[in-house]
Amino acid sequence: MSSLPFAVGTYSPRNLSKPHSKLLAKNVDKAVTSIKWSSNKQNISPIEQLNENRRVFQRREAVGFGLCFGLLEAGQLQLPQPSAVAEEAPCELTLSPSGLGFCDKVVGKGPEAVKGQLIKAHYVGRLENGKVFDSSYNRRKPLTFRVGVGEVIKGWDQGILGGDGVPPMLAGGKRTLRLPPELGYGTRGAGCKGGSCIIPPDSVLLFDVEFIGKA
């Protein structure tokens, strides 16, 4: 134990006064416990060990985030999709007199929507070049709206309610819609800012719609 004062650096028994002896003795006991503990951890003190654990955790976090972003950039990480509507095989569109094209991928078995009814629908919206501009699946939340009263674009109301040669959708059904500009966002486009638009003016739009049912 003669080397203990040199290891701790705070204890010298020849210079102790009684008021401080108990306090320093407690500090020495703590130091001895610390030294015994560190001898079993390759001479690393508890504080150093804690800092090392933090550094290891931070390295693991950095590696994890780096791997995630690397896979995203490489296209190897597939984000979960609640439905495969956008990936289903395309079907042949039927053209209605209004110019709306439609094709049922899945015919629903539930009731059809009623004008003014609050309904829920999932969708993926694409430009004619295939670029996706919006998807409720990515938000993991369907769109809720009153159908047939102008809360959505005309092509949606007609494509779900039916009419003018288009049969109504049934709950549980999945339908592809092709909207000419006059049934979509027309000459104004949508999402325009600083001279560029998410949906350019006079765009033909394609929607994969899943009619979930009444909200």
Side-chain angles (χ1 to χ4, degrees):
M1 296 294 293
S2 59
S3 61
L4 181 61
F6 300 99
V8 177
T10 56
Y11 177 60
S12 179
R14 287 187 295 273
N15 297 322
L16 282 179
S17 60
K18 290 184 179 180
H20 300 288
S21 59
K22 291 183 179 180
L23 178 61
L24 289 178
K26 289 181 181 179
N27 290 339
V28 170
D29 289 340
K30 290 181 181 179
V32 171
T33 302
S34 174
I35 290 172
K36 287 181 179 179
W37 185 89
S38 64
S39 66
N40 294 327
K41 298 292 182 179
Q42 298 180 346
N43 295 326
I44 300 177
S45 71
I47 295 177
E48 291 173 335
Q49 183 65 36
L50 180 59
N51 290 336
E52 178 62 22
N53 289 342
R54 287 174 177 170
R55 285 193 293 271
V56 170
F57 179 75
Q58 289 169 351
R59 285 198 298 271
R60 287 175 181 171
E61 280 191 316
V63 170
F65 283 120
L67 178 60
C68 179
F69 285 119
L71 289 175
L72 282 172
E73 290 177 358
Q76 297 175 18
L77 184 62
Q78 299 296 324
L79 296 179
Q81 293 292 334
S83 173
V85 171
E87 298 177 1
E88 291 174 357
C91 56
E92 187 176 350
L93 293 170
T94 301
L95 190 64
S96 71
S98 67
L100 177 70
F102 67 95
C103 173
D104 285 313
K105 293 182 175 181
V106 177
V107 177
K109 297 181 179 180
E112 62 184 70
V114 178
K115 183 177 180 179
Q117 187 178 48
L118 192 66
I119 66 169
K120 294 188 295 183
H122 265 306
Y123 68 93
V124 176
R126 304 189 308 275
L127 300 177
E128 222 175 0
N129 62 9
K131 182 179 179 180
V132 175
F133 59 81
D134 194 13
S135 171
S136 65
Y137 294 105
N138 289 344
R139 294 191 294 275
R140 294 176 173 81
K141 185 178 180 181
L143 178 67
T144 301
F145 64 99
R146 294 193 183 276
V147 66
V149 295
E151 287 189 1
V152 292
I153 51 180
K154 293 179 181 179
W156 263 62
D157 279 338
Q158 184 184 349
I160 294 176
L161 277 180
D164 197 17
V166 181
M169 288 189 74
L170 302 179
K174 298 178 182 180
R175 175 177 286 180
T176 295
L177 300 174
R178 182 183 184 275
L179 278 59
E182 56 270 25
L183 296 180
Y185 293 96
T187 58
R188 70 183 186 278
C192 299
K193 185 178 180 180
S196 63
C197 299
I198 295 174
I199 300 175
D202 297 314
S203 290
V204 173
L205 306 177
L206 296 168
F207 287 96
D208 289 311
V209 180
E210 179 183 358
F211 174 30
I212 297 173
K214 184 172 64 173

